[in-house]
Amino acid sequence: MAADPVRAILALDQGTHASRAQLWALDGRLLHETRVAVALHREGERVEQDAGELLGSLRECLEAAGGWASEHAVVPVAAGLATQRSTVVAYDRRDGAPLAPALSWQDTRAAAALDRHADRAAEIRRRTGLRLSPHYGASKIAWLLAEQPAVRTAAEAGHLVAGPLASYLLHHLLTGRPVLVDEVNAARTLLWNVRERRWDPELAAPFGIPPGVLPAAHPTLHDYGGLHQGGVPVTAVNGDQNAACFAAGTPPADAAIVNLGTGGFVLVEADPRALERAPELLVGVASSDAAGCRWLLEGTVNGAGAALEWLAEAEGAAASLEPWPACAEPALFLN
């Protein structure tokens, strides 16, 4: 008599340097992992990725995970997607074709253009929980509209979608090609009102961004639809750092989570009212559903891991970095 199939969760991650698919048994055992590397193109302040390559790598991971699951009598019953935050993609809503390279969260080409918004910095921070920075999506979308003819033409024709990378991936991975995104990734654009949990026209207008180009935003825990590959329902979408808060389960309320990767991050559960008490930190969403959300205070060093990588390549520096890989994977709970 054949054994009953093992039910599992399919975890998808699209990061700066790789895409991954993991299958987790419902009892917490990691059953399978596939990883596909992706390229990052850096030229001074310009940091880009090929949107098609990011999507293709994730599809490759999905195909490998699906094949392994079939061979080993494993049935994925739900899926979640985590993506790099603040990376922006402009695509055509009719066929999903990318209209320009994906502008990485590390890209700062539009930094000078933010000077004209300096007098609004305090109001932007109050509404978004973020500092005025070229790392976030608003200036990137504005740059694409101003500098990329294909993006501008699509906007004028009403065919443009511009927003977080997660939207582009979901558009291609889900049946029905929806145009949507989660609240966490929306909140890393400087266009999302973190207190009211909505796109804010008063934030978009000064950047010259038509509200109609932004994808519909939903809570992180939501019925996003089924995957083209296998029909597995996607029930959670989040940004990678925010999702890392739950890597070891739900963290205690008084815990700080330290996550080290391309950047360095310290995250503590809080709410937007904490903004006044910690003006140096950022406010974001840890997770959300139809009933409400959990908030985070975040301290971020965007280039921490990238700086260590550069240092490791310098003569004589590699040996001093040997302890880092051992602590770069798990979240650390510091009470």
Side-chain angles (χ1 to χ4, degrees), residues 302-322:
N302 280 310
L308 289 170
E309 182 180 358
W310 171 85
L311 184 60
E313 294 173 356
E315 184 177 354
S320 67
L321 298 179
E322 288 178 358

Side-chain angles (χ1 to χ4, degrees), residues 123-146:
E123 179 62 13
I124 288 173
R125 178 160 172 74
R126 188 188 71 80
R127 289 174 182 253
T128 67
L130 304 177
R131 293 179 173 276
L132 193 61
S133 168
H135 287 288
Y136 305 129
S139 61
K140 292 178 169 64
I141 296 173
W143 186 91
L144 288 167
L145 285 165

Side-chain angles (χ1 to χ4, degrees), residues 194-273:
V194 73
R195 287 175 167 81
E196 299 178 10
R197 296 173 63 192
R198 63 175 178 86
W199 294 117
D200 193 330
E202 294 185 26
L203 292 168
F207 286 100
I209 299 172
V213 310
L214 299 170
H218 295 284
T220 61
L221 302 177
H222 177 75
D223 181 8
Y224 282 88
L227 292 170
H228 276 297
Q229 293 175 252
V232 182
V234 175
T235 58
V237 181
N238 207 327
D240 49 9
Q241 299 307 322
N242 306 55
C245 291
F246 304 96
T250 302
D254 59 350
I257 297 92
V258 178
N259 198 43
L260 302 175
T262 307
F265 307 87
V266 180
L267 307 107
V268 179
E269 187 167 355
D271 66 55
R273 291 173 296 180

Side-chain angles (χ1 to χ4, degrees), residues 25-323:
L26 299 188
D27 61 8
R29 289 177 294 127
L30 177 60
L31 303 174
H32 173 80
E33 179 175 16
T34 297
R35 180 185 185 276
V36 175
V38 295
L40 184 71
H41 308 285
R42 187 187 302 274
E43 185 177 344
E45 64 189 6
R46 298 190 173 210
V47 188
E48 300 178 350
Q49 294 188 278
D50 183 321
E53 181 189 7
L54 300 183
L55 174 63
S57 65
L58 203 55
R59 282 176 165 162
E60 187 176 342
C61 290
L62 262 171
E63 183 175 352
W68 187 92
S70 296
E71 292 176 8
H72 294 82
V74 171
V75 179
V77 295
L81 171 67
T83 67
Q84 48 178 307
R85 306 176 302 175
S86 302
T87 292
V88 163
V89 177
Y91 65 94
D92 192 313
R93 69 174 63 239
R94 295 171 302 176
D95 60 7
L99 300 170
L103 302 191
S104 168
W105 58 271
Q106 300 175 76
D107 189 287
T108 58
R109 72 185 67 185
L114 291 177
D115 291 345
R116 70 177 68 105
H117 301 282
D119 61 342
R120 302 176 52 244
E123 179 62 13
I124 288 173
R125 178 160 172 74
R126 188 188 71 80
R127 289 174 182 253
T128 67
L130 304 177
R131 293 179 173 276
L132 193 61
S133 168
H135 287 288
Y136 305 129
S139 61
K140 292 178 169 64
I141 296 173
W143 186 91
L144 288 167
L145 285 165
E147 302 295 334
Q148 298 290 300
V151 175
R152 189 164 56 252
T153 298
E156 292 168 353
H159 302 152
L160 176 66
V161 182
L165 168 64
S167 174
Y168 170 75
L169 297 176
L170 290 170
H171 182 74
H172 285 275
L173 294 177
L174 298 176
T175 59
R177 291 190 176 273
V179 177
L180 40 69
V181 75
D182 63 288
E183 291 186 341
V184 164
N185 282 296
R188 303 297 284 199
T189 61
L190 291 178
L191 304 172
W192 174 263
N193 191 312
V194 73
R195 287 175 167 81
E196 299 178 10
R197 296 173 63 192
R198 63 175 178 86
W199 294 117
D200 193 330
E202 294 185 26
L203 292 168
F207 286 100
I209 299 172
V213 310
L214 299 170
H218 295 284
T220 61
L221 302 177
H222 177 75
D223 181 8
Y224 282 88
L227 292 170
H228 276 297
Q229 293 175 252
V232 182
V234 175
T235 58
V237 181
N238 207 327
D240 49 9
Q241 299 307 322
N242 306 55
C245 291
F246 304 96
T250 302
D254 59 350
I257 297 92
V258 178
N259 198 43
L260 302 175
T262 307
F265 307 87
V266 180
L267 307 107
V268 179
E269 187 167 355
D271 66 55
R273 291 173 296 180
L275 188 64
E276 288 74 25
R277 303 195 302 272
E280 297 83 7
L281 301 179
L282 309 178
V283 171
V285 175
S287 67
S288 60
D289 58 23
C293 66
R294 299 177 64 173
W295 307 95
L296 287 174
L297 280 178
E298 176 180 334
T300 300
V301 181
N302 280 310
L308 289 170
E309 182 180 358
W310 171 85
L311 184 60
E313 294 173 356
E315 184 177 354
S320 67
L321 298 179
E322 288 178 358

Side-chain angles (χ1 to χ4, degrees), residues 9-13 20-24 30-34 65:
I9 302 297
L10 173 63
L12 304 173
D13 173 56
R20 296 175 179 84
Q22 296 179 331
L23 288 164
W24 291 85
L30 177 60
L31 303 174
H32 173 80
E33 179 175 16
T34 297

